[in-house]
Structure formats: C-alpha cells, structure tokens
Amino acid sequence: MKRGNLFLLIGNMFANKTGTLMHEIEVLRDFGRKKILVAKPDWDTRSGHGDIKDFHGKTMTAVEVSTTSPWEIFHLISREEECCGKLDVIAFDEIQFFSRDFYLVVNRLLERGYDVIASGLALDFRNEPFGSTLELIGLCPDLRTVRWLASRCAQCGEVAYLTQRLIDGKPAPYDSPQVLVGGKESYEPRCYSCFELPEKPSGAYSLKSP
Ligand SMILES: [Zn+2]
C-alpha cells in the first residue's frame, strides 16, 4: 500500500492555523475531490461541540476524538466509511491536546494510505514543546509539507512566533498550568523581544510537559 503524506500546519495562537486548515480542506474537497474526515480533540470546547472554528467565526463540522486515547479515530473512520465510502484524508485541528500516542496514531494512518493534514500549537505559553506537535515533523516526507504560521506581535508589530499568556492583563508566571482555555483576554501573540515569562528558573531545569 502506498504510504500517505502528512501536511503539518503549526505555529502560535492567532496565526490562523484553523482558518488555514479549513482552506486546505476546502481546496482538497472542491478541486481534489477528496473525501475528508475532520476531527478534533474531545476537550477542546472553545468552538463548541461538533465544529472547528477560526477566529473570524467560520465553522466546519468535525468529529471528536478522545484526547487520552486518540486511537479512537480508527473506530470513527470505520463508522464513516461504512456509511459513506472510503476516506482519502483525515484532518485534525488542535493536535497539541492529544496524548503523546498521537504520533503513533498518525504514523499508522499514513501506513494505511491515508493522507493526514494536521494543525496545532508548536509551543506552549512557556515557549516549550506542546504535546506531540513538533515530533510529528519526523513523519513529514520533506520539509515542504510543514508550514510554520506566525502572527504579529501585539506590542511592537514585528513577526510573532510566541504566545503570551496574560492573567488580569499581566504576563502569567512560569508555574501556571500548561492548558488554560481562553481567547484574546488571556493570550496575545508576541515576538521574542516582547515575550515575558516571570519566574522562569534562572539555572538548569527540566521540561514541565511530558
Ligand atoms: Zn514585539
């Protein structure tokens, strides 16, 4: 069986990752005539259940997959294919929320010949790896299938690759939890110069996230 291809859309918050994912899905459906299943983690509730949503409010129907057991996607694929025929592409949004097994799940999908398109945060608010997003680069056949999206710094207007977390308008400390669901009231894009992370250990330390 011919191995599928992975197309990865990664970046910070407010980089239009979901909007870009939806555009790619529409092109694949409308011009490529591909059958696509769109999926998202089951505890990303920001866009409501059963949809993915960009920050302009555009939505697209999506099935929900267990964050702790992303192997569930194979059950959802079987169900969809029994009803509506063979799928070509599996699309995932917010992949940083899936457990580290997600790497193995995507590899299995590619082995089974599905193309995969996936978007998510590369880094958390600490500028440290978020979930298995960065590991998935290892499954891309060449670097043209990875697109690193950026936003603009809310402080100075330069290109912004980082996500600044704010609590009551002030930079959140290093020890606040990795996942804190919120929008523009809790996060803004920032460049490396304007990024602030109070209480970051000054000496040697280990990654907090697994
Ligand atoms: Zn800046």
Side-chain angles (χ1 to χ4, degrees):
M1 179 180 283
K2 186 175 170 290
R3 185 179 170 89
N5 287 313
L6 171 61
F7 183 33
L8 202 50
L9 298 163
I10 63 181
N12 54 345
M13 284 179 73
F14 312 108
N16 198 26
K17 296 182 302 304
T18 302
T20 306
L21 177 72
M22 286 197 275
H23 171 74
E24 295 293 333
I25 290 168
E26 285 170 345
V27 169
L28 284 164
R29 273 184 179 150
D30 296 349
F31 299 103
R33 311 269 168 100
K34 302 292 185 190
K35 282 194 172 175
I36 306 175
L37 182 65
V38 184
K40 69 172 199 171
D42 63 357
W43 47 265
D44 175 42
T45 55
R46 279 174 299 181
S47 54
H49 289 288
D51 281 323
I52 59 172
K53 185 169 154 187
D54 73 5
F55 56 70
H56 302 296
K58 182 176 169 178
T59 61
M60 190 177 271
T61 302
V63 296
E64 293 180 18
V65 181
S66 166
T67 51
T68 52
S69 182
W71 293 103
E72 187 190 25
I73 190 67
F74 288 96
H75 168 71
L76 297 167
I77 289 170
S78 299
R79 200 176 66 184
E80 182 72 16
E81 290 186 335
E82 276 167 24
C83 131
C84 310
K86 179 88 174 73
L87 291 162
D88 303 300
V89 182
I90 314 301
F92 293 94
D93 195 22
E94 303 286 3
I95 58 172
Q96 73 278 358
F97 291 135
F98 287 117
S99 74
R100 296 303 268 274
D101 282 355
F102 190 63
Y103 177 95
L104 303 173
V105 169
V106 171
N107 193 36
R108 182 73 57 84
L109 287 168
L110 299 173
E111 285 170 353
R112 293 200 180 170
Y114 294 104
D115 287 333
V116 175
I117 175 167
S119 80
L121 290 167
L123 305 165
D124 64 13
F125 81 99
R126 301 186 191 104
N127 191 17
E128 292 174 5
F130 206 154
S132 56
T133 306
L134 290 170
E135 292 171 352
L136 289 180
I137 292 173
L139 296 174
C140 291
D142 72 58
L143 289 178
R144 283 175 298 185
T145 69
V146 181
R147 197 185 297 168
W148 197 302
L149 300 168
S151 187
R152 283 279 161 177
C153 179
Q155 301 291 307
C156 75
E158 290 299 310
V159 175
Y161 290 103
L162 304 179
T163 304
Q164 177 72 54
R165 180 182 290 170
L166 300 166
I167 297 175
D168 297 328
K170 296 197 180 75
Y174 181 86
D175 272 338
S176 77
Q178 187 183 44
V179 177
L180 191 81
V181 174
K184 283 183 177 167
E185 73 292 349
S186 310
Y187 295 98
E188 66 182 29
R190 287 204 189 175
C191 71
Y192 282 93
S193 301
C194 298
F195 180 71
E196 294 174 84
L197 188 57
E199 298 169 35
K200 181 180 173 178
S202 55
Y205 67 108
S206 298
L207 289 173
K208 272 185 158 310
S209 45

